[in-house]
Amino acid sequence: MSGVEVITFGCRLNTYESEVMKAQAEKAGLNNAILVNTCAVTGEAVRQARQAIRRARRDNPHARIIVTGCAAQTEKQTFAEMAEVDAVLGNEEKLTSASYRSLPDFGVSAEEKLRVNDIMSVKATAPQMVRHIGGHVRAFIQVQNGCDHRCTFCIIPYGRGNSRSVPMGAVVDQARKLADGGYREIVLTGVDATSYGSDLPGTPTLGLLAKTLLKQIPDIRRLRLSSIDSIEADAHLMDLIADEPRFMPHLHLSLQHGDDMILKRMKRRHLRAEALRFIEDARRLRPEMSFGADMIAGFPTETEEMFDNAVRLAEEANIAHLHVFPYSPRPGTPAARMPQLDRSLVKDRAARLRAAGHRLHQSHLDQMIGTRQWLLVENNGLAHTENFTLVAAPGLRPGELVPVTITGHNGKHLDMQLTAAAAA
């Protein structure tokens, strides 16, 4: 191979940062290299990254393999000890060209492989200018990094550091470049995006940032948030939900559970009633609003009654896109020291929660039939509605915004018919 290839795992923030990494590595003159941007959210994510590294070495025996990302930050020795790996960079180091210029040659010791500094010492997030997000018709912008909270199950703060925000002016500049480059939809991303601005002068909020982007950049046709903590939603965000058609009617929530005792043991900052109240308020302001959510099944000490409360929360909230994680103990977190459930029970509850999510998704698809929607066409013959429902869109040009009528679904995605105006 030649050039720089990036293998990305995990969140949308990683997708964005992979573009930065590639640009910085190429700027440094790196060639014949594979960058692996890892995720640490579950043990399975780490396993998949290790598997991908071994596969990359088999397929590219002479390439330089550099591993980075959250798993490299939290488990640096694990990757440094892999014979297939030539260097390990931390989450801060991966974003600068100097890191790639100073990489050691082949044959160095495991200690020399490591370029991973203390992420907790990082106090600011420098704006990174990206003009293109490879393979995507929507553009991601990093507005925040790190997390000040310490949920008992989560290793991510130790991979990302404490919360720090990109100044609003830099975000506006980045969004304008992407809109000028033809991107119709922009997604604001962060590790804990709703904490945006708490470390900036004047403490602007995520909602105010979104309002400012839409006001100053008319060419942004659709604006989304990647994931939010509903307890941190601010008045500006609620205004956007109510009054701004360019703010998309879909929010992905970090719910994690539906039982108050488990939420407390997780050290979450919301209770069941508060989550339901936010969803109810958002739907009252925007009836077409749909919700996705992350939820964990089989958390330590979870009883059958507690698990049932989680299922009922998903049903009462009518979550259209449920993302279920079987609890995975992460070494170094408080939850890993709590009394654990049998793994077979964890997997069983995850399967049952996914089944509830499947029923909710089918109901959501049913309710979409007969509605008129605007689609953003993807690169793979599919598209997304404004409320982020997947639609089959064969023959349409990627990046187009197209009006359609929803005619049915196949259980996975919606079917559509072009409106007369679009067909003409």
Side-chain angles (χ1 to χ4, degrees), residues 11-272:
C11 62
R12 288 168 176 167
L13 181 55
N14 255 14
T15 299
Y16 173 85
E17 288 179 338
S18 287
E19 292 296 326
V20 177
M21 288 163 46
K22 190 173 191 296
Q24 295 295 341
E26 289 173 343
K27 179 181 176 182
L30 197 65
N31 191 34
N32 191 28
I34 300 170
L35 312 183
V36 183
N37 198 7
T38 64
C39 172
V41 72
T42 64
E44 175 63 14
V46 178
R47 188 194 69 80
Q48 289 177 2
R50 288 168 57 83
Q51 186 179 54
I53 290 165
R54 295 189 185 100
R55 187 185 308 115
R57 174 56 72 213
R58 287 196 303 270
D59 295 344
N60 303 277
H62 303 297
R64 182 173 292 186
I65 296 179
I66 299 104
V67 180
T68 184
C70 289
Q73 185 74 45
T74 60
E75 301 183 33
K76 57 187 179 184
Q77 286 299 145
T78 295
F79 294 98
E81 291 169 3
M82 292 183 70
E84 296 87 353
V85 174
D86 295 300
V88 182
L89 299 182
N91 255 335
E92 184 70 8
E93 292 74 31
K94 72 182 183 182
L95 302 175
T96 63
S97 60
S99 297
Y100 299 101
R101 280 196 296 270
S102 63
L103 284 174
D105 292 329
F106 290 106
V108 298
S109 68
E111 288 73 23
E112 290 173 304
K113 285 183 179 182
L114 287 171
R115 303 294 173 93
V116 181
N117 292 329
D118 178 12
I119 196 69
M120 295 300 179
S121 68
V122 180
K123 303 301 182 185
T125 290
Q128 302 285 346
M129 288 298 171
V130 172
R131 295 178 182 274
H132 176 71
I133 310 292
H136 291 269
V137 300
R138 63 176 55 82
F140 308 121
I141 299 179
Q142 178 190 20
V143 303
Q144 181 273 343
N145 204 342
C147 185
D148 289 339
H149 312 300
R150 295 296 182 264
C151 296
T152 60
F153 57 84
C154 187
I155 196 69
I156 297 305
Y158 306 99
R160 288 285 180 176
N162 290 317
S163 181
R164 50 208 188 272
S165 308
V166 178
M168 189 179 293
V171 178
V172 172
D173 289 345
Q174 171 73 100
R176 183 172 285 113
K177 285 183 172 63
L178 290 166
D180 289 346
Y183 284 97
R184 308 289 189 91
E185 180 173 308
I186 286 175
V187 184
L188 304 184
T189 71
V191 174
D192 181 29
T194 31
S195 71
Y196 176 83
S198 59
D199 57 327
L200 296 177
T203 59
T205 62
L206 181 66
L208 180 60
L209 172 64
K211 267 188 181 178
T212 301
L213 289 171
L214 290 170
K215 180 179 179 180
Q216 295 194 15
I217 311 174
D219 286 341
I220 297 177
R221 298 285 297 276
R222 293 161 56 136
L223 183 68
R224 289 191 193 279
L225 306 180
S226 61
S227 179
I228 71 166
D229 213 337
S230 61
I231 201 71
E232 293 181 315
D234 64 286
H236 291 293
L237 180 57
M238 302 311 286
D239 289 345
L240 287 171
I241 292 171
D243 301 324
E244 177 51 75
R246 292 187 294 155
F247 184 81
M248 294 295 95
H250 171 265
L251 292 171
H252 190 85
L253 307 178
S254 180
L255 292 182
Q256 307 306 346
H257 212 274
D259 180 84
D260 283 347
M261 181 56 71
I262 292 294
L263 288 167
K264 290 176 182 178
R265 289 172 180 166
M266 286 179 165
K267 209 174 178 181
R268 299 294 295 160
R269 288 164 298 127
H270 70 271
L271 296 175
R272 174 194 186 88

Side-chain angles (χ1 to χ4, degrees), residues 298-301 327-329 334-343 346:
F299 187 80
T301 77
Y327 172 74
S328 173
R337 299 190 294 272
M338 296 178 184
Q340 304 291 305
L341 302 187
D342 184 84
R343 291 311 299 170
V346 172

